[in-house]
């Protein structure tokens, strides 16, 4: 393991700790200096003293005094996000209501209603009943998002809190690291992206990768370090003629190169199936112009023109976010040009104002908005989120998934017949556009005219399209509409409409059941309904009525029940037999208690505990894995880098079981490899000889496609563990003509 991952013991030293606390407090005051008005300094001091006293006997997992955490969060909110005094006070006190004796009333009395409301938004909810529709963590996410309608500072402070937790994750246990890193990639990094806090988003992704995929993280970090000198030399060579020309033209500017993040390089390697050496844009050049607002756009385009005098641009990769800013306020001109030595280089051109919005996101957006009355696309997005959050959709997990999809997506700009612009995520359809105009128009949509041509509701829109929606009073949403839409607003509205329709059908089922019970001489009491729902394995009453109405549940089965006065009772033997047949095994009693040893799979306890290997990632012994207790399938084992891991760990951390492998060479596991190489005579024979001949590994399936002298093969093999798989990959890579060998994410 890399030394960066090793936990070093913290040795308490009261004098050193006091000095460090004072140093951090002074750093916070220095950061606030330009924002302090009369009386503010005293308020900040009072908040600091209140937090220090409340957390006096508390220490972090690292052993450090707890007060250093709220101080660090306050400093991030001010320095890196650009917020002011109120936010600093709330950041200092953000954990007090949850973890100490201080109440919201105490905070309101000392610092006013606004601070109390923000801290209430930052305080986790407790005692939430788990169900198939929600989890405690999901409800906490929803609570944080709801504050967008009230005070977005809650989210910004929460992001600062999460960033500091990620920076100090080394001292946590492995399962805590996985849980926190997964929550970060699942919701916090996308939120930072949507709020325009790109630096925070990039750092969060890098830190999360350090814990979820440590091998890949440290391998790329090492290669970046090794190629640093070479990159610096290339950047200087690229920049030199541009700098000289901009100086000649009288521009005031900064120009520098920035390396791409480890996470973005890794994503590119996976997406394009290339090695680190083949990723061409390991860095970007940034030019920041000191231009007055009225000249910003013209100056950026002038600089674009000067750069293309030296280097040939790739017109397909021009991104003009100056004419069309992103909905989070981001403005810049991105161009990709062919630099010296045949390397593509991305150049970002922006003004100082644009740069501050890019660095500080939401906070800077409001700073520059003061004094203007126009509503920006950012305000429009916030309004859409408020509308979405105000819906009475009880399925929080679905809501979060839909909401998350819209956080990271690229945007397209589509026009109404009157020329009004609508910003939609890439991949949006005519139906998404209809719901973006109004929910009623969406639910009645039967088609559209795109650029005056008739298209179906599933037609995917492109930037610049002009769209006219065609409606009918007879139209009703159907289940398959959910396959045609990508926006959270459309999905939520369709689900609401389907739910209402389902409710009406369910009422017919309710009437049928009540009639049947009346004929048996028993009332439709809650006790009787509970007995029936348990018998028919229904969790929700509405679903139960609906299943009756569509004849999925046959009421003739009520003959199994015994009428005892006003109660329905199931004969015991039948009940037991039925329960054994249908109910999932309760494995919770077999699992180790918290703080006990990890659950070992394929070890001594493997015959006692029911488990399944997840199909989504097909783990094999040696993979970094975790177990999750499911409602219907007992214990399920997933790889920590499984595509579904962030969502599972973020929403169901309380169901996670520490899991590790025990050696068992008797059992084989199916996994898959993708092999790319030169299509040469005998190459397939060489591959199969290594697998079957040399390593005696069984092949389950082999498919080869060849095009233009290059072949791509998918091979499914049975291996005993990760060690054997790694050896196979290394041997295949050494064969002549083989370009790459990678493990399939979903075999």
């Amino acid at each position: 393991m890399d030394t960066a991952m090793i936990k070093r013991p913290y040795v308490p030293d009261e004098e050193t700790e006091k000095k460090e606390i004072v140093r951090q407090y002074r750093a916070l005051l220095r950061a606030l200096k330009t924002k302090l008005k009369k009386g503010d300094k005293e308020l900040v001091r009072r908040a600091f003293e209140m937090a220090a006293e409340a957390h006096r006997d508390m220490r972090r997992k690292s052993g450090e005094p707890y007060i250093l955490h709220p101080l660090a969060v306050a400093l991030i909110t001010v320095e890196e996000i650009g917020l002011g005094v109120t936010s600093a006070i709330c950041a200092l006190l953000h954990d007090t209501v949850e973890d100490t004796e201080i109440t919201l009333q105490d905070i309101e009395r000392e610092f006013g209603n606004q601070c109390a409301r923000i801290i209430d938004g930052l305080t986790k909810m407790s005692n939430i009943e788990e169900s198939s529709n929600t989890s405690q963590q999901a409800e906490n996410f929803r609570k944080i998002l709801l504050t967008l309608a009230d005070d977005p500072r809650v989210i910004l402070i929460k992001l600062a809190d999460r960033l500091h937790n990620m920076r100090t994750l080394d001292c946590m246990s492995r399962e805590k690291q996985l849980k926190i890193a997964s929550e970060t990639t699942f919701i916090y990094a996308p939120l930072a992206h949507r709020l325009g806090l790109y630096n925070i988003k990039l750092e969060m992704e890098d830190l999360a990768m350090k814990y979820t995929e440590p091998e890949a993280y440290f391998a790329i970090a090492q290669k970046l370090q090794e190629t640093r000198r070479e990159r610096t030399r290339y950047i200087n060579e690229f920049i030199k003629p541009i700098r000289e020309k901009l100086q000649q033209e009288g521009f005031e500017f900064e120009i520098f190169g920035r390396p791409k993040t480890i996470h973005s390089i890794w994503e590119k390697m996976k997406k394009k199936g290339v090695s680190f050496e083949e990723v061409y844009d390991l860095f970007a050049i940034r030019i920041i112009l000191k231009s007055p607002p009225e000249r910003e756009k013209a100056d950026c385009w002038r600089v674009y023109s000067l750069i293309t005098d030296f280097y040939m641009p790739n017109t397909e990769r021009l991104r003009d976010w100056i004419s069309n800013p992103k909905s989070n306020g981001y403005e810049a001109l991105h161009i990709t040009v062919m630099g010296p030595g045949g390397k593509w280089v991305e150049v970002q051109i922006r003004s100082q104002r644009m740069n501050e919005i890019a660095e500080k996101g939401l906070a800077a957006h409001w700073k520059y908005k003061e004094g203007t009355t126009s509503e920006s696309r950012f305000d429009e997005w916030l309004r859409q989120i408020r509308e979405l959050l105000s819906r009475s959709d009880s399925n929080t997990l679905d809501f979060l998934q839909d909401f998350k999809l819209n956080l990271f997506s690229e945007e397209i700009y589509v026009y109404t017949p009157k020329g009004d612009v609508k910003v939609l995520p890439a991949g949006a359809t005519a139906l998404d556009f209809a719901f973006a105009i109004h929910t009623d128009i969406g639910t009645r949509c039967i088609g559209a005219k795109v650029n005056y041509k008739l298209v179906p509701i599933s037609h995917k829109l492109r930037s610049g399209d002009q769209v006219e929606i065609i409606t009918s009073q007879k139209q009703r949403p159907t289940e398959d509409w959910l396959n045609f839409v990508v926006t959270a607003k459309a999905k939520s509205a369709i689900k609401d409409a389907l739910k209402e329709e389902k409710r009406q059908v369910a009422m017919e089922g309710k009437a049928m059941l009540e009639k049947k019970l009346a004929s048996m001489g028993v009332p439709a009491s809650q006790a009787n309904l509970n007995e029936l729902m348990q018998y028919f394995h229904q969790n929700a009453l509405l679903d139960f009525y609906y299943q009756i109405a569509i004849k999925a549940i046959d009421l003739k089965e009520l003959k199994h029940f015994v009428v005892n006065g006003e109660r329905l009772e199931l004969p015991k033997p039948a009940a037991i037999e039925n329960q054994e047949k249908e109910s999932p095994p309760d494995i919770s009693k077999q699992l180790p208690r918290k703080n006990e040893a990890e659950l070992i799979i394929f070890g001594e306890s493997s015959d006692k505990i029911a488990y399944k290997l997840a199909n989504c990632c097909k783990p094999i012994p040696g993979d970094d894995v975790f177990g999750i207790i499911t409602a219907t399938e007992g214990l399920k084992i997933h790889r920590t880098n499984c595509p579904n891991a962030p969502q599972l760990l973020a929403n169901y951390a309380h169901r996670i079981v520490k899991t590790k492998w025990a050696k068992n060479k008797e059992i084989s596991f199916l996994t898959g490899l993708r092999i790319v190489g030169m299509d040469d005579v005998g190459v397939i024979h060489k591959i199969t000889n290594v697998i079957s001949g040399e390593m005696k590994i069984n092949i389950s399936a082999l498919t080869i496609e060849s095009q233009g002298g290059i072949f791509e093969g998918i091979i499914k093999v049975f291996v005993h563990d990760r060690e054997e798989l790694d050896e196979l990959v290394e041997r295949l890579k050494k064969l002549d003509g083989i370009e790459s060998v990678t493990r399939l994410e979903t075999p």
Side-chain angles (χ1 to χ4, degrees):
M1 187 177 278
D2 194 283
T3 51
M5 294 288 283
I6 296 169
K7 300 173 189 174
R8 292 179 177 83
Y10 176 86
V11 182
D13 175 351
E14 199 174 327
E15 198 55 42
T16 309
E17 286 174 353
K18 276 183 184 173
K19 283 180 183 172
E20 180 59 19
I21 293 166
V22 171
R23 193 180 70 78
Q24 295 278 17
Y25 174 64
R26 284 178 179 157
L28 175 62
L29 288 179
R30 278 198 304 278
L32 280 168
K33 196 172 182 181
T34 57
K35 298 174 182 178
L36 290 170
K37 296 195 287 291
K38 194 176 180 184
D40 283 350
K41 199 170 179 180
E42 287 71 27
L43 278 174
V44 174
R45 183 175 185 85
R46 210 178 329 153
F48 165 66
E49 286 172 349
M50 193 175 186
E53 178 60 27
H55 295 301
R56 186 181 62 216
D57 300 322
M58 294 169 67
R59 288 189 174 265
R60 302 197 82 206
K61 281 276 190 283
S62 61
E64 294 175 328
Y66 195 90
I67 187 62
L68 288 172
H69 169 64
L71 272 169
V73 174
L75 196 58
I76 292 168
T77 60
V78 176
E79 266 190 347
E80 298 181 51
I81 300 178
L83 295 174
V85 175
T86 302
S87 300
I89 289 167
C90 293
L92 285 169
L93 297 165
H94 78 274
D95 275 337
T96 53
V97 173
E98 197 174 311
D99 298 339
T100 76
E101 299 298 312
I102 290 173
T103 64
L104 282 172
Q105 289 73 23
D106 296 333
I107 286 167
E108 186 169 356
R109 194 167 50 248
E110 287 284 327
F111 303 101
N113 178 256
Q114 193 177 45
C115 283
R117 280 210 327 273
I118 292 172
I119 289 165
D120 182 36
L122 290 161
T123 303
K124 287 191 190 121
M125 297 163 82
S126 56
N127 304 322
I128 290 163
E129 200 171 316
E130 298 281 337
S131 74
S132 59
N133 287 342
T134 190
S135 72
Q136 186 157 320
Q137 194 57 19
E139 286 296 344
N140 281 319
F141 286 146
R142 189 184 179 108
K143 181 186 180 187
I144 291 163
L145 294 171
L146 276 164
T147 59
L148 268 171
D150 183 30
D151 196 327
R153 281 176 293 193
V154 175
I155 282 182
L156 296 172
I157 296 167
K158 189 68 192 170
L159 287 171
D161 177 34
R162 178 50 55 123
L163 180 60
H164 187 249
N165 283 335
M166 289 299 294
R167 286 173 178 173
T168 54
L169 209 51
D170 274 355
C171 299
M172 291 290 195
S173 63
R174 176 71 179 138
E175 66 269 28
K176 272 277 191 185
Q177 288 174 344
L178 277 176
K179 173 190 177 291
I180 293 168
S182 297
E183 282 175 7
T184 302
T185 51
F186 181 66
I187 200 86
Y188 291 110
L191 258 178
H193 172 90
R194 203 60 171 85
L195 297 173
L197 297 160
Y198 290 108
N199 288 348
I200 288 177
K201 170 239 178 188
L202 294 171
E203 189 180 346
M204 279 181 170
E205 286 176 337
D206 263 15
L207 289 169
M209 184 185 166
K210 178 180 168 184
Y211 296 101
T212 55
E213 303 201 48
E215 286 176 29
Y217 176 87
F218 288 112
I220 295 171
Q222 189 177 345
K223 286 184 177 174
L224 280 174
Q225 188 61 36
E226 288 166 0
T227 58
R228 191 174 174 183
R229 189 174 293 175
E230 183 190 323
R231 280 200 322 276
T232 304
R233 191 162 53 243
Y234 186 85
I235 287 167
N236 291 339
E237 184 188 349
F238 181 91
I239 283 173
K240 193 181 175 193
I242 300 172
R243 178 183 273 122
E244 288 171 359
K245 189 67 177 173
L246 291 177
Q247 285 168 344
Q248 281 174 25
E249 295 289 326
F251 283 103
E252 279 190 73
F253 65 94
E254 286 179 78
I255 184 168
F256 50 87
R258 284 179 64 111
K260 290 283 178 78
T261 63
I262 293 172
H263 179 265
S264 63
I265 293 168
W266 175 234
E267 285 299 308
K268 195 150 283 187
M269 285 165 65
K270 286 196 296 184
K271 195 173 173 183
K272 297 193 182 296
V274 295
S275 65
F276 174 86
E277 289 71 24
E278 294 168 295
V279 177
Y280 61 80
D281 51 351
L282 290 169
F283 56 85
I285 305 295
R286 188 168 293 167
I287 300 171
I288 300 169
L289 303 171
K290 196 173 179 182
S291 297
E294 67 276 5
R295 276 220 327 267
E296 282 178 339
K297 196 187 275 193
D299 282 354
C300 287
W301 282 108
R302 271 179 67 208
V303 171
Y304 166 81
S305 178
L306 293 173
I307 292 169
T308 54
D309 287 345
F310 294 103
Y311 304 115
M312 179 64 71
N314 180 344
T315 50
E316 287 182 11
R317 297 197 60 188
L318 170 66
R319 300 288 180 267
D320 174 13
W321 285 307
I322 293 177
S323 308
N324 259 329
K326 289 187 178 183
S327 52
N328 59 16
Y330 181 82
E331 293 173 75
L333 201 54
H334 288 203
I335 62 170
T336 302
V337 297
M338 181 63 78
K343 290 183 182 177
W344 289 109
V345 180
E346 184 184 74
V347 184
Q348 301 168 356
I349 308 165
R350 52 174 83 149
S351 68
Q352 278 184 332
R353 178 192 65 83
M354 295 173 192
N355 189 60
E356 193 175 345
I357 287 174
E359 300 283 325
K360 302 278 170 65
L362 177 61
H365 161 79
W366 273 331
K367 172 184 166 183
Y368 286 106
K369 190 191 162 197
E370 283 172 14
T372 67
T373 52
S374 63
E375 187 183 66
S376 73
R377 285 181 184 154
F378 195 93
D379 298 304
E380 187 186 326
W381 178 74
L382 281 179
R383 200 178 65 244
Q384 286 172 6
I385 296 304
R386 286 171 192 148
E387 185 185 328
L388 187 66
L389 287 160
S390 66
R391 291 185 170 275
S392 58
D393 187 2
S394 60
N395 194 328
T396 313
L397 296 174
D398 270 7
F399 159 76
L400 272 178
Q401 193 58 38
D402 295 345
F403 178 81
K404 182 178 171 286
L405 287 173
N406 291 171
L407 290 176
F408 258 153
S409 53
E410 290 295 317
E411 292 162 342
I412 58 171
Y413 301 91
V414 187
Y415 298 90
T416 67
K418 291 182 180 176
D420 296 329
V421 70
K422 291 282 176 191
V423 183
L424 294 170
T429 60
L431 192 55
D432 282 302
F433 181 83
F435 278 106
I437 296 169
H438 198 280
T439 301
D440 288 346
I441 290 173
T443 52
R444 297 202 311 273
C445 175
I446 57 169
K449 284 185 180 177
V450 175
N451 305 326
Y452 307 105
K453 286 183 181 176
L454 198 62
V455 297
I457 58 174
S458 58
H459 177 82
K460 284 191 180 178
L461 302 175
R462 294 187 300 183
S463 253
D465 281 347
Q466 192 167 30
V467 186
E468 181 187 345
I469 297 298
I470 303 163
T471 60
S472 165
Q473 291 296 337
K474 294 177 183 175
Q475 180 69 301
R476 291 285 178 276
T478 60
E479 196 85 34
D480 62 343
W481 278 26
L482 291 167
N483 302 321
F484 302 154
V485 293
V486 297
T487 57
K489 180 180 179 182
K491 284 193 175 189
S492 180
I494 293 165
K495 284 172 188 171
D496 279 355
L498 291 172
K499 200 180 290 177
E500 178 53 33
E501 203 166 293
K502 185 177 179 179
R503 195 187 65 78
Q504 289 172 9
V505 174
M507 289 306 101
E508 295 171 21
K510 183 184 180 185
M512 289 162 68
L513 177 65
E514 286 174 350
K515 187 178 175 183
K516 178 71 176 174
L517 291 175
S519 72
M520 295 172 71
V522 290
S525 65
Q526 193 59 50
N528 286 337
L529 288 173
N530 288 344
E531 190 77 19
L532 289 168
M533 283 168 67
Q534 190 176 346
Y535 176 79
F536 288 108
H537 305 292
Q538 297 295 312
N539 294 321
L541 193 57
L542 187 75
D543 289 338
F544 179 42
Y545 290 148
Y546 183 75
Q547 295 296 322
I548 293 169
I550 63 170
K551 304 287 193 292
I553 286 177
D554 189 352
L555 291 181
K556 286 177 184 171
E557 287 196 49
L558 265 65
K559 65 186 179 192
H560 294 306
F561 285 81
V562 174
V563 177
N564 186 355
E566 290 196 337
R567 289 291 301 269
L568 274 180
E569 289 178 4
L570 191 65
K572 289 290 181 286
I576 292 164
E577 184 187 338
N578 189 67
Q579 195 171 350
E580 283 176 354
K581 204 185 296 176
E582 301 290 345
S583 297
D586 179 13
I587 65 158
S588 58
K589 296 186 181 79
Q590 307 165 29
L591 296 174
R593 292 192 302 275
K594 271 198 180 305
N595 304 324
E596 281 190 12
E598 291 170 306
L599 174 69
I600 298 175
I601 47 179
F602 310 122
E604 291 171 11
S605 60
S606 63
D607 56 337
K608 298 176 195 167
I609 295 172
Y611 62 84
K612 281 190 177 181
L613 298 177
N615 279 325
C616 47
C617 57
K618 294 278 190 198
I620 62 173
D623 284 338
D624 201 356
V625 291
F626 65 92
I628 182 165
I629 302 169
T630 64
T632 55
E633 298 178 278
L635 184 71
K636 229 171 185 184
I637 312 299
H638 290 262
R639 278 157 54 189
T640 53
N641 60 356
C642 168
N644 297 318
Q647 186 180 352
L648 293 171
L649 288 160
N651 287 328
Y652 301 109
H654 58 290
R655 294 192 200 166
I656 301 302
V657 180
K658 279 200 295 182
T659 315
K660 70 178 181 184
W661 302 96
K663 291 279 183 187
N664 189 332
K665 290 290 182 184
E666 301 307 309
I667 306 174
S668 291
F669 300 85
L670 184 65
T671 190
L673 294 174
R674 177 180 280 108
I675 304 178
V676 178
M678 305 298 292
D679 188 10
D680 201 359
V681 179
V683 71
I684 305 303
H685 174 71
K686 283 191 280 187
I687 291 169
T688 53
N689 185 51
V690 167
I691 301 170
S692 304
E694 293 178 18
M695 294 194 66
K696 305 288 187 287
I697 291 172
N698 288 332
I699 297 174
S700 164
L702 170 61
T703 56
I704 300 283
E705 284 187 15
S706 178
Q707 196 173 9
I710 301 290
F711 82 88
E712 182 175 306
I714 303 293
I715 300 180
K716 295 189 178 180
V717 290
F718 286 101
V719 295
H720 293 104
D721 52 31
R722 174 75 180 271
E723 207 176 297
E724 190 172 46
L725 180 66
D726 288 345
E727 187 187 342
L728 174 60
V729 169
E730 286 309 309
R731 288 201 192 192
L732 290 172
K733 279 181 177 175
K734 286 174 183 170
L735 293 175
D736 289 342
I738 299 297
E739 286 289 313
S740 67
V741 183
T742 51
R743 183 173 173 184
L744 290 177
E745 285 300 318
T746 50

